[in-house]
Amino acid sequence: MDDYRRIADRIAADITGGRLRPGERLPPQRAFARRHGIAPSTAGRVYAELVRRGLVVGEVGRGTFVRATAPDGQPGIALTEAAGAPLVNLELNYPSVPGQAELLAPALTTLLRPDALGQALRPAPAAGTPAARESVAALLARSGLRTGPERILFTGNARQAIAATLAALVRPGGRVGVEPLTYPLVKEIAARLGLVLVPLATDAEGPLSEAVAAAHRSAPLSALYLQPALHNPTSRTIGAGRLRELADCVHRLGTPVVEDRIWAFLDTGGTPPLAALAPGLVHLVDSLSKRVAPGLTVGFAVVPEDRVEAVARAVRSGGWSAGSFALEAAVRWLGDGTVDRLVAAKRQDARRRQRLVAEKLAGFAVRSGPSAYFAWWELPAPWRADTFTAAAREHGIAVTPGTAFCVDPSRTPDAVRLGLGSVSEGRLGRALEILAGVARGRAAGGDG
């Protein structure tokens, strides 16, 4: 084994054994090299290896710090519930409303008849069933996208739909333009597929079309992955004018797009999907997970006509097809109005939770939308994301550090994302009060 890996193993053991604590700063690389009797270049490889393993994070101009979240085989991702889960988990974000199970149950009754159950337990192809395609096409039409049912493919969840579309669009080594803060699992998907994520310059409204063109000129982009509506983690929604600029840009470049609409059902602004402006290039990805429930869900992708078979092959090769039972349940929930009732209830629920955020975190720099289920908290100095995450965990609260969303590991924001949907309103309010107290107490008198 290379010397640098042996040294990295020793530092990793100190981190996992608690001898190096979350938020603790490692010495500068030259000092580390002197201490261990190695060349500075070898020290650089040790630090790079620790970053690769997800044990530390490097911050330009500030140094290298032990991460607050323990590695779980997915470097940089802090969206899974760890063993010994904290009292309040604001990492997970699975919204549920009172009476949800009672709303969902009646539609499943007919599926339990032996004849219906036998049909629902058969394998489903990537194209799903005619009834599922028609139901999803009607759902999408209400959001401003009119599409032929033959363009709709189904997966077990939205993550699988994202993976399938990217696998069909981009070869290993290909470049994918993304927002500088992006869905963490897209980083993991890109790593598994061997794709290179290219952060695009943005402003308050979203990605700049000239930034897309500039990135493409430097080396061709194989695709874009964007979250135009209720971007996770910032809740930003791109306006209609910027969407048209982006549509014109991808038309000029001929660059396909994966448009993530997973949270868009909460957006009441009526901004049309990017897929409605560039249907020949945009692959729209969505699911029923957040609308309905994560345990029995359906993901789907609306694919340009000439790409249907390529994406269907990716779905089949990945083993990502939706289950027939989930498809049959989805058809019934969409048809009897259950999904619409749940969406209306969750929009109201999200607005109430956002009012709690505004009340409990008043005076802090919090970015969010009025109907979003998450909030992006830009921490007061001298807090860093990892040290605040560690301090929150000591108080029994889990939050997601901004590093989980950051594409460029050398530019890590001093921010955390708060998931608002997985705990009761009462527990959420108490957690926000505690977090505000932690931020004020340390900001007033400590070294973050």
Side-chain angles (χ1 to χ4, degrees), residues 327-392:
L327 287 173
E328 292 294 335
V331 167
R332 285 161 172 76
W333 288 328
L334 288 165
D336 68 6
T338 296
V339 172
D340 288 339
R341 288 191 286 274
L342 284 173
V343 166
K346 289 183 179 182
R347 285 174 174 171
Q348 293 179 2
D349 181 58
R351 284 194 287 269
R352 289 195 302 271
R353 291 166 186 264
Q354 287 294 342
R355 287 195 289 271
L356 274 177
V357 172
E359 174 191 344
K360 306 297 184 183
L361 300 184
F364 291 106
V366 178
R367 296 165 59 188
S368 194
S371 60
Y373 267 116
F374 40 84
W376 181 247
W377 185 2
E378 296 172 347
L379 298 167
W383 283 108
R384 296 193 317 275
D386 273 23
T387 52
F388 185 83
T389 301

Side-chain angles (χ1 to χ4, degrees), residues 278-328:
L281 287 169
V282 178
H283 301 60
L284 183 146
V285 171
D286 202 344
S287 81
L288 297 182
S289 173
K290 307 301 184 184
R291 289 179 176 89
V292 182
L296 185 63
T297 186
V298 171
F300 48 90
V302 182
V303 180
E305 291 180 14
D306 61 345
R307 300 294 303 170
V308 170
E309 182 51 36
V311 177
R313 283 197 302 270
V315 172
R316 291 191 293 269
S317 66
W320 293 322
S321 298
S324 291
F325 190 91
L327 287 173
E328 292 294 335

Side-chain angles (χ1 to χ4, degrees), residues 62 169 220 250 301 329 347 354-355 375 404 416:
R62 301 176 68 174
L169 287 169
V250 298
R347 285 174 174 171
Q354 287 294 342
R355 287 195 289 271
V416 295

Side-chain angles (χ1 to χ4, degrees), residues 121-289:
L121 294 179
R122 294 180 179 177
T129 65
R133 293 195 296 273
E134 292 288 348
S135 296
V136 169
L139 174 70
L140 293 168
R142 295 201 291 276
S143 69
L145 178 63
R146 299 191 177 279
T147 184
E150 68 280 357
R151 293 175 53 201
I152 300 173
L153 299 171
F154 294 91
T155 57
N157 55 46
R159 286 171 287 181
Q160 294 173 351
I162 293 169
T165 51
L166 286 174
L169 287 169
V170 189
R171 294 180 178 179
R175 287 160 42 92
V176 180
V178 296
E179 289 133 322
L181 298 172
T182 196
Y183 181 33
L185 285 172
V186 168
K187 294 165 39 175
E188 176 66 16
I189 290 168
R192 290 185 178 182
L193 296 177
L195 313 183
V196 178
L197 298 184
V198 180
L200 304 169
T202 63
D203 62 12
E205 195 173 359
L208 300 163
S209 58
E210 54 265 36
V212 176
H216 191 71
R217 282 195 303 270
S218 67
L221 295 172
S222 299
L224 303 178
Y225 166 81
L226 302 175
Q227 303 175 71
L230 286 180
H231 171 264
N232 180 13
T234 66
S235 304
R236 178 224 62 227
T237 294
I238 300 176
R242 178 64 58 83
L243 277 180
R244 285 192 293 271
E245 292 175 9
L246 288 169
D248 291 343
C249 179
V250 298
H251 271 131
R252 290 194 305 273
L253 301 175
T255 304
V257 182
V258 178
E259 179 183 12
D260 184 339
R261 296 271 299 179
I262 294 169
W263 288 105
F265 73 95
L266 293 168
D267 178 30
T268 57
T271 304
L274 183 59
L277 304 176
L281 287 169
V282 178
H283 301 60
L284 183 146
V285 171
D286 202 344
S287 81
L288 297 182
S289 173

